Amino acid sequence: MAGGYMGKMLWVDLSTGKMEDEPLDEKMCRDYIGGYGLAAKLIYDRQKPGVDALGPDNIFGFVTGPLTGTGALIGSRYMVVGKSPRTGGWGDANSGGFFGPNLKFAGYDAVFFKGISEKPVYLFIDNGKPELRDASNLWGKDAVQTEDALRAELGKKAEIACIGPSGEKLNLIAGVVNNKGRIAARSGLGAVMGSKKLKAVAVLGNMEVPVANKEKVSELRKEYTKAMEGHFADMMKNYGTCGLAAQSAAMGDSPIKNWAGAAGNIDFPNAANISDDQMINRQERKYACYRCPVGCGGHMKAGGNKFKIPAGSHKPEYETIAAFGSMVLNDDLDVLLLANDICNIYGIDSISAGTAVAFAMECYENGIITKADADGLELTWGNHDAIIALTEKIAKREGFGAVLADGVKVAAEKIGKGSEKYAMHVGGEEIPMHDPRLAPSFGTTYETDATPARHTQGGFGFGEMMPAAGLELEGLPPLEQYAYTGKAMVHGMMANSSHTMSAAGCCLFGSYVTPMDAVPNFLAAVTGWEFSMPDSLVVGERIANIRRAFNVREGIKPEDYKLPARIKGVPPLKEGPLAGVTIDVDNLSKELCEFMDWDLETGKPSKDKLVSLGMDDVAKDLWP
């Protein structure tokens, strides 16, 4: 087996308790690398279409990449995978910290689960020895309590990924938590884990990940660490993603007032209160994922006035800052920190939770829901007490929170009364905090990736947004911000490169501060394969197509993943830097699908494209 792989995966049937090791297939690894690439191929092959995402037949997995846990500069990530209960299609979510590397140190590249346990259980892997254990005493505990309890039982070196009470209660916006606040948050996979009565996976091990050329990896690590020096990398080291929050709110990158408000300090003038230096002043210490020289994370000091923040809670990322800041017109840092901590300990996606609160506030403003409907809460914009109380209710699936706990699409279906026009989602997934009216290619990514509304899936959005912020990403061509044609090739290549980066187990932020050839060069040194940038693009395209094939087989069509009119600027905003902007994302998405050779009506990859990528079996399945 090539370097970077432990060479085996574990399959667990929770209905029977049976566990079985299976060797990795090296050709499949070369074709799909790892992470959600390898997982999508395995699950596509082994799972029939149409299964209930919360039922026993949905295969749910933890997967790493070949760079995870190696000396590769940004190799700290793992992913959870499975059919999404939010979209009905392919689901994956990504997290850093230390769990992913330690899953490999415990002997496995991946663990997959099927079935449903009769009682709560957790999986413990101790240096290659897996054991299912009773988790009845952990059921009901939050993510921090669960991790503390398992470390007390298994030892301080154990690493844990778990669900909180939100996942147990099958909140469709639930994620999987590791390191007390790093969350694989999107796609609703915490609910899938909860449906299987799987409380946690704990790993302990000291196995070494094999590396083909350690000297080359060390050399590349030094080279790319030095190459990191510069404006954007320095900002990430000093601030993390909060370093751009105030600027993003001012320039129109951050959505304001449920995407209906004006930027440019009009509707949200005090973004600096929850950003940059104000945030860092509350930071107790920096936090870095496994062997990361950037360390963009942080742990916060105890404190707060009306709202008390526990010591050691994780510093909010940009997405959370916008979701519980500009989206709900909250400029109080204590409120933001506490809302973030609630999401972390209960295990819910902060993008979805903040969007749900904003949706409820706009419904309240328009008389669709009343104070009585909202359990006595006055859901006025920026109401601190209401933001915290409603976030807790969502996390606990209590009262009006239960209406919102499955996301805004489901909530609008329950509420009715025209509320759907305030539900900002694509295909059931709430939209991230980067506005396509500023960077139109984000709209293309949100509509065309197999996991919709996902800003982390590559494309040219950051290439449009960063120059607007006065920043540059190395290697990007100078394409016009509001051009609606001629971007497909660059967008597609960037998306494909991003798929390979993610499947390899690398951090998206790290990819922003290292040269574009870092991932293929590290893959070549770690695996021992010849692997170039062109190879990376082909592998990424193959991954894009297997994820899309999964969705096609589930009956999902391009029309199912469309941006709401508001987010396309229909009607356009009347004030601020985005005043008068209406974007033609339809043409951008159309040209991308044509470049990728995906049918505009069905979404199917063409038979010729699949065959050219060596995906003959998938071609026969989709084109019998």
Side-chain angles (χ1 to χ4, degrees):
M1 191 69 202
Y5 299 94
M6 306 309 289
K8 65 178 180 178
M9 50 189 167
L10 177 67
W11 289 82
V12 181
D13 188 332
L14 291 167
S15 296
T16 64
K18 182 181 177 181
M19 293 184 283
E20 186 175 4
D21 285 355
E22 181 179 330
L24 288 182
D25 179 273
E26 184 160 352
K27 183 182 184 305
M28 189 178 291
C29 291
R30 290 200 68 152
D31 286 346
Y32 296 94
I33 297 296
Y36 63 57
L38 181 66
K41 173 58 174 168
L42 286 165
I43 294 176
Y44 183 92
D45 287 348
R46 302 182 189 207
Q47 180 171 297
K48 63 182 181 181
V51 304
D52 180 358
L54 299 180
D57 294 327
N58 191 16
I59 297 172
F60 169 75
F62 290 80
V63 286
T64 65
L67 300 187
T68 306
T70 68
L73 199 57
I74 50 177
S76 64
R77 312 298 283 191
Y78 77 95
M79 300 174 196
V80 288
V81 294
K83 182 177 179 178
S84 168
R86 311 229 46 209
T87 68
W90 176 254
D92 58 55
N94 188 308
S95 182
F98 294 85
F99 178 81
N102 279 273
L103 174 58
K104 290 178 75 170
F105 303 157
Y108 290 96
D109 296 290
V111 181
F112 293 97
F113 299 88
K114 63 180 181 179
I116 294 177
S117 176
E118 291 183 1
K119 63 181 181 181
V121 293
Y122 74 91
L123 175 69
F124 176 43
I125 302 175
D126 184 1
N127 266 321
K129 298 177 181 178
E131 179 185 358
L132 282 173
R133 294 185 175 185
D134 187 1
S136 299
N137 64 318
L138 300 174
W139 207 251
K141 292 186 183 295
D142 67 38
V144 172
Q145 293 167 341
T146 299
E147 186 167 329
D148 285 342
L150 284 173
R151 281 206 170 132
E153 178 182 342
L154 305 174
K156 293 182 179 180
K157 292 185 178 181
E159 291 292 337
I160 293 99
C162 67
I163 53 171
S166 295
E168 295 174 6
K169 295 183 178 182
L170 308 188
N171 289 10
L172 296 191
I173 64 170
V176 180
V177 187
N178 59 281
N179 296 108
K180 300 183 178 180
R182 318 309 294 180
I183 304 185
R186 312 233 72 193
S187 295
L189 294 170
V192 175
M193 193 167 166
S195 74
K196 295 186 177 300
K197 293 289 194 297
L198 178 64
K199 178 64 175 177
V201 175
V203 294
L204 186 63
N206 55 14
M207 298 185 190
E208 184 177 350
V209 181
V211 172
N213 190 336
K214 292 183 180 180
E215 292 76 15
K216 184 62 175 178
V217 170
S218 179
E219 175 187 318
L220 289 170
R221 185 176 177 87
K222 291 176 183 177
E223 175 187 339
Y224 290 129
T225 299
K226 186 174 182 180
M228 278 183 177
E229 298 172 3
H231 178 52
F232 188 64
D234 290 345
M235 186 277 294
M236 290 294 285
K237 288 180 181 180
N238 294 330
Y239 291 98
T241 55
C242 76
L244 286 173
Q247 184 179 6
S248 290
M251 66 192 274
D253 178 43
S254 305
I256 294 171
K257 201 178 181 183
N258 200 30
W259 298 86
N265 299 320
I266 295 172
D267 286 324
F268 193 63
N270 298 317
N273 292 351
I274 56 173
S275 178
D276 311 327
D277 290 328
Q278 294 299 317
M279 184 73 73
I280 296 303
N281 288 341
R282 297 287 295 274
Q283 182 172 291
E284 182 177 62
R285 64 186 186 279
K286 286 174 64 67
Y287 175 92
C289 297
Y290 176 80
R291 296 196 68 184
C292 179
V294 177
C296 66
H299 289 291
M300 309 306 286
K301 301 173 185 175
N305 296 315
K306 181 177 181 181
F307 300 100
K308 302 301 180 184
I309 315 305
S313 62
H314 280 262
K315 178 175 66 181
E317 302 287 354
Y318 164 76
E319 297 291 324
T320 308
I321 295 169
F324 281 102
S326 59
M327 276 284 281
V328 295
L329 300 191
N330 164 54
D331 58 14
D332 186 285
L333 186 53
D334 286 347
V335 175
L336 173 64
L337 292 173
L338 185 54
N340 178 60
D341 196 53
I342 292 167
C343 291
N344 288 347
I345 66 175
Y346 281 89
I348 53 174
D349 176 11
S350 61
I351 295 174
S352 295
T355 300
V357 174
F359 162 79
M361 287 181 165
E362 189 163 12
C363 287
Y364 187 88
E365 180 182 47
N366 286 280
I368 292 174
I369 58 174
T370 66
K371 185 175 179 179
D373 295 327
D375 305 329
L377 298 177
E378 293 186 8
L379 296 180
T380 51
W381 294 105
N383 185 325
H384 300 158
D385 291 321
I387 291 168
I388 295 302
L390 187 54
T391 303
E392 286 184 331
K393 285 177 176 289
I394 292 169
K396 295 178 180 178
R397 202 178 184 92
E398 292 180 354
F400 185 63
V403 176
L404 302 172
D406 296 330
V408 297
K409 178 179 183 289
V410 174
E413 291 168 353
K414 292 178 179 178
I415 294 169
K417 304 178 186 177
S419 61
E420 64 277 358
K421 66 182 176 182
Y422 306 126
M424 298 296 108
H425 70 91
V426 177
E429 190 85 73
E430 286 74 23
I431 300 167
M433 304 292 117
H434 295 288
D435 197 326
R437 292 170 295 190
L438 176 72
S441 291
F442 276 123
T444 312
T445 300
Y446 297 165
E447 288 190 346
T448 60
D449 189 75
T451 54
R454 196 70 65 88
H455 66 291
T456 53
Q457 293 296 0
F460 196 63
F462 284 107
E464 295 162 337
M465 186 267 282
M466 288 294 191
L471 298 170
E472 292 184 7
L473 289 177
E474 182 181 340
L476 296 189
L479 299 179
E480 185 183 337
Q481 182 179 1
Y482 288 115
Y484 299 110
T485 190
K487 291 180 176 178
M489 182 176 72
V490 173
H491 187 106
M493 291 174 69
M494 291 183 69
N496 291 339
S497 176
S498 182
H499 287 315
T500 299
M501 178 271 300
S502 293
C506 293
C507 170
L508 178 67
F509 297 158
S511 72
Y512 293 159
V513 298
T514 54
M516 294 184 71
D517 62 0
V519 169
N521 284 345
F522 272 122
L523 278 169
V526 168
T527 63
W529 300 330
E530 290 186 10
F531 202 89
S532 63
M533 179 58 75
D535 294 325
S536 179
L537 295 176
V538 171
V539 168
E541 186 174 12
R542 193 176 290 119
I543 292 170
N545 277 280
I546 191 64
R547 292 162 87 243
R548 175 162 283 261
F550 184 98
N551 283 5
V552 167
R553 201 170 63 170
E554 294 293 337
I556 294 172
K557 295 180 172 59
E559 65 188 32
D560 297 321
Y561 288 173
K562 288 297 181 183
L563 282 178
R566 174 182 286 183
I567 295 173
K568 294 189 285 188
V570 181
L573 294 169
K574 297 179 179 180
E575 298 179 280
L578 303 182
V581 173
T582 298
I583 62 170
D584 187 5
V585 72
D586 291 344
N587 197 62
L588 288 174
S589 296
K590 173 179 175 290
E591 287 196 353
L592 179 70
C593 289
E594 289 172 344
F595 171 76
M596 297 295 291
D597 207 0
W598 294 337
D599 186 83
L600 296 175
E601 298 296 325
T602 66
K604 279 187 183 183
S606 77
K607 185 175 184 179
D608 287 345
K609 171 60 66 175
L610 293 171
V611 171
S612 74
L613 291 169
M615 302 172 68
D616 300 60
D617 53 340
V618 179
K620 291 177 182 177
D621 189 35
L622 296 186
W623 300 93

